[in-house]
Amino acid sequence: MATSFNQAVDRLRGTRVWKSIFRRGPARTNRTRSLAVFGNLFLHWLPVKVREQSLRVRASYYLGSISFLLFVVLLLTGVLLMFYYHPAVPQAYRDMKDLRFVVSNGVFLRNVHRLAAQVMVFAVFWHMFHVFYRGGYKPPHEFNWIVGVFLLIVTLFLSYTGYLLPWDQLAFWAITVGTNIISAMPLIGTRVRFLALGGNLVGENALLRFYVLHCVVLPLTAVVLIAVHFWRVQKDGGLTVRTEKNDRQE
């Protein structure tokens, strides 16, 4: 049975259609496996060989993967929520009411999005603390540490910009207080606040800008940084810091 299956696979790999899609043959040696990884748009993030210490749970507690999965959940639920939302005053608040009372499973969808956002902030903070505690900022991981810091900042901005979108009293006054704190910065505080709100008050311009930031600018920035982050983890030698002691253990 296994022999017949392998023969069928080999015949399929010999067809013109297969060769037009996959330029290389089966990855059966270390060289062909390496070429398959290096020449693939997605697999090049993954190493050909992985150090055993990087696979242990305590190396990362899978916090990076958990944060990424939560980000995917936020993307999916966010796209679904966009079908029922208008970034305009006062329609935004009415859409929130419709999600609660009219749209089927609207409350569930919104709560999943909100809960995933809160857990993601916690997971990213915990991930960064754990990486710092284990010395993940040391050579050769310095650049990736900086990328992680920017990812934390983007995560916080994603959470903050989404706060205004329901356009209720809690959102209005939270953004008012937050932007007033920004205006207290020396020299540029007032200009930054005006740029963020699109004016001097929290109004329709602010809602539109926060919506664009939350749904377009920040997610695209996060996707780019996540791709670079995953790629550098592998190119820098895995999740753990390489030392002479680790080399002897291997």
Side-chain angles (χ1 to χ4, degrees), residues 81 84-100 110 164-168 171 203-204 207-208 211:
L81 288 171
Y84 303 101
Y85 182 81
H86 299 81
V89 179
Q91 186 63 37
Y93 179 70
R94 295 172 184 168
D95 291 339
M96 292 297 103
K97 292 178 65 178
D98 288 343
L99 279 171
R100 183 173 182 180
R110 183 187 175 193
L164 181 63
L165 301 188
W167 198 249
D168 53 10
E204 189 166 1
L207 179 61
L208 182 58
Y211 176 79

Side-chain angles (χ1 to χ4, degrees), residues 60-70 123-124 127 226 229-230:
S60 65
Y61 294 109
Y62 306 117
L63 293 170
S65 300
I66 292 172
S67 301
F68 175 70
L69 290 176
L70 289 170
V124 172
H127 178 50
I226 290 172
H229 193 62
F230 283 1

